[in-house]
Amino acid sequence: MTFGQRVTIMRKQKNINQSELGALIGTSGNIVSKYERDFITPSIDVAAKIAKALNVSIDYLVNGITTEKGPITDDEATQLLHFDQLLPEDKVHVLAVVEAFLTKSKLQSLIG
């Protein structure tokens, strides 16, 4: 799937038309249409504005990186970046908490 196809899918899921997305990112609906049809490629700055307007990560739009529940949001991506700034012992604690929630989720899915 291409950048333009992912933009189209996310825009439609958000019930935003091309003109509205264009206004949100500071361009026209005609330009958005060209992005969606992969006739032109936006700059990295414009791609970031599109991601923010659609509440997805730029990684999702460019590379299709998703989670089980859908595209990673910018907020989630930011939190993941902050994880790297933690002290090693704090990282261990965070990962233990995440693992506990994953185990809980797996158990719940097995139970019913």
Side-chain angles (χ1 to χ4, degrees):
M1 189 178 305
T2 68
F3 174 89
Q5 291 168 330
R6 285 188 282 275
V7 169
T8 302
I9 289 167
M10 294 310 301
R11 178 182 58 75
K12 289 180 178 180
Q13 284 182 0
K14 305 285 183 185
N15 292 320
I16 300 172
N17 66 39
Q18 290 175 336
S19 296
E20 291 168 331
L21 180 56
L24 289 170
I25 65 170
T27 192
S28 69
N30 185 42
I31 296 297
V32 170
S33 173
K34 290 179 181 181
Y35 293 150
E36 289 184 357
R37 292 180 288 143
D38 295 305
F39 283 0
I40 59 174
T41 303
S43 68
I44 191 71
D45 292 335
V46 173
K49 288 179 184 179
I50 293 169
K52 185 172 184 172
L54 297 175
N55 194 32
V56 297
S57 72
I58 196 165
D59 276 343
Y60 169 71
L61 292 179
V62 174
N63 298 314
I65 297 172
T66 63
T67 64
E68 282 183 23
K69 295 186 178 185
I72 297 171
T73 67
D74 282 334
D75 290 339
E76 292 166 339
T78 299
Q79 292 299 321
L80 291 172
L81 289 173
H82 291 308
F83 176 81
D84 193 44
Q85 298 169 359
L86 296 174
L87 295 171
E89 59 269 18
D90 292 337
K91 287 181 182 181
V92 170
H93 294 300
V94 170
L95 291 174
V97 170
V98 170
E99 184 62 33
F101 279 105
L102 291 171
T103 301
K104 176 186 170 193
S105 177
K106 288 176 186 175
L107 288 172
Q108 286 176 332
S109 68
L110 291 173
I111 292 171

